[in-house]
């Protein structure tokens, strides 16, 4: 048996009772923290609360050489991830591999950032389009810095259909955790390259440390928001489309957005 358990958003206490019960029954407990991680805890705290040794896997051990799956043929094995399990394509692929090996799989869901951002901002979940990740720039073989333009294109496509965009921010072993400020700057660099002016005057929403007692939530025009100090990671961002009046009021009251966004609905 292989049980995938989503740990939730921030610390070791976000896990569900069903998740704790599955860990208690497990012979082996594995985890990966490269797609996401719980910033409010440590491996030692998790092992203390769960009362089990946790083996942290590398990206290669999950995606390329998951030899540890063989233990799940005859034992109860648990695989821990931040957020909700199966949100990452990597985890879906791992489940399919296990099933091909004849391993029974089970899911224990956890709280997800995809739904948490709606609660924190008041933006309505059914109005979100395709999500996207802003990656760190990389250096090409010619020594040129390359900025991905895919996130910008995704935001524009969603805006054309009146949909909000949830923007995940890159986590890189060497470059660290991308901030809202860095992501906004990268989007504006793409816009400048194309000589367009679509995003500069729009509202964006930044969120940091969702799931903690004191998350940072701020909304403002992009040119101003890129200078806001969101503090420690993890960060995530939303580029809203034109808002419903309840959404606009929520952004003002919950995210301190400029009250001018309400004027559109009062005309």
């Amino acid at each position: 048996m292989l049980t995938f358990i989503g740990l939730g958003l921030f610390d070791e206490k976000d896990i569900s009772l069903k998740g704790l019960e599955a860990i208690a029954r497990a012979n082996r407990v594995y985890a990966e923290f490269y797609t996401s991680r719980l910033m409010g805890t440590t491996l030692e705290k998790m092992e203390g609360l769960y009362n089990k040794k946790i083996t942290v896997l590398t990206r290669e051990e999950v995606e390329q050489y998951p030899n540890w799956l063989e233990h799940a043929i005859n034992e109860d094995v648990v695989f821990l991830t931040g957020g909700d399990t199966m949100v990452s394509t990597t985890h879906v692929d791992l489940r399919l591999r296990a099933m091909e090996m004849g391993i029974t799989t089970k899911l224990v869901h956890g709280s997800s950032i995809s739904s948490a951002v709606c609660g924190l901002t008041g933006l309505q979940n059914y109005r979100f389009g395709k999500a996207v990740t802003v990656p760190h720039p990389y250096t090409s073989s010619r020594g040129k810095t390359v900025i991905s333009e895919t996130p910008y294109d995704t935001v524009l496509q969603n805006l054309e259909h009146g949909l909000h965009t949830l923007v995940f921010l890159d986590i890189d072993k060497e470059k660290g955790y991308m901030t809202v400020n860095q992501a906004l700057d990268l989007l504006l660099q793409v816009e400048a390259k194309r000589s367009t002016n679509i995003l500069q005057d729009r509202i964006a929403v930044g969120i940091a440390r969702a799931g903690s007692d004191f998350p940072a939530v701020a909304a403002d025009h992009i040119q101003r928001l890129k200078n806001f100090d969101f503090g420690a990671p993890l960060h995530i961002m939303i580029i809203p489309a034109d808002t419903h009046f309840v959404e606009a009021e929520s952004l003002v009251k919950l995210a301190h957005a400029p009250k001018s966004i309400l004027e559109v609905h009062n005309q």
Side-chain angles (χ1 to χ4, degrees), residues 132-138 146-148 150-151 168-171 178 186:
V132 71
T133 298
V134 176
H136 284 285
Y138 67 93
V146 179
I147 298 174
S148 173
T150 299
F168 292 92
L169 308 184
D170 198 8
I171 299 175
M178 182 178 288
L186 291 171

Side-chain angles (χ1 to χ4, degrees), residues 133-154:
T133 298
V134 176
H136 284 285
Y138 67 93
T139 303
S140 70
S141 57
R142 298 181 179 181
K144 181 180 178 181
T145 299
V146 179
I147 298 174
S148 173
E149 299 187 17
T150 299
Y152 185 84
D153 290 331
T154 300

Side-chain angles (χ1 to χ4, degrees), residues 169-188:
L169 308 184
D170 198 8
I171 299 175
D172 185 88
K173 187 175 181 180
E174 297 180 357
K175 298 178 181 178
Y177 303 99
M178 182 178 288
T179 66
V180 169
N181 319 78
Q182 291 171 320
L184 287 173
D185 185 63
L186 291 171
L187 289 174
L188 291 178

Side-chain angles (χ1 to χ4, degrees), residues 89-113:
T89 305
T90 292
H91 305 150
V92 177
D93 179 69
L94 193 60
R95 186 185 189 193
L96 295 178
R97 290 195 193 195
M99 293 173 67
E100 290 173 358
M101 296 171 64
I103 299 169
T104 301
T105 63
K106 181 179 178 181
L107 308 181
V108 179
H109 294 285
S111 52
S112 169
I113 190 63

Side-chain angles (χ1 to χ4, degrees), residues 210-223:
S212 70
D213 291 335
F214 302 101
V217 184
D220 206 338
H221 294 283
I222 287 177
Q223 286 287 8

Side-chain angles (χ1 to χ4, degrees), residues 47 83 162 182 248 250 263:
E47 290 180 331
Q182 291 171 320
S250 297
E263 295 175 0

Side-chain angles (χ1 to χ4, degrees), residues 13-73:
K13 297 178 182 178
D14 283 346
I15 191 172
S16 66
L17 288 175
K18 189 177 290 186
L20 283 175
E21 291 172 351
I23 291 175
R25 294 191 300 267
N27 302 107
R28 300 171 188 267
V29 179
Y30 297 95
E32 69 85 359
F33 297 126
Y34 64 86
T35 58
S36 182
R37 64 170 300 175
L38 307 182
M39 300 304 297
T41 190
T42 63
L43 183 64
E44 291 72 26
K45 288 182 179 179
M46 292 171 63
E47 290 180 331
L49 178 61
Y50 306 159
N51 197 30
K52 281 289 174 70
K53 170 68 177 177
I54 300 173
T55 301
V56 179
L57 302 170
T58 64
R59 181 186 290 269
E60 291 73 23
E61 289 174 318
V62 174
E63 298 181 0
Q64 298 179 35
Y65 310 107
N67 299 325
W68 54 273
L69 281 177
E70 296 178 358
H71 296 295
I73 296 175

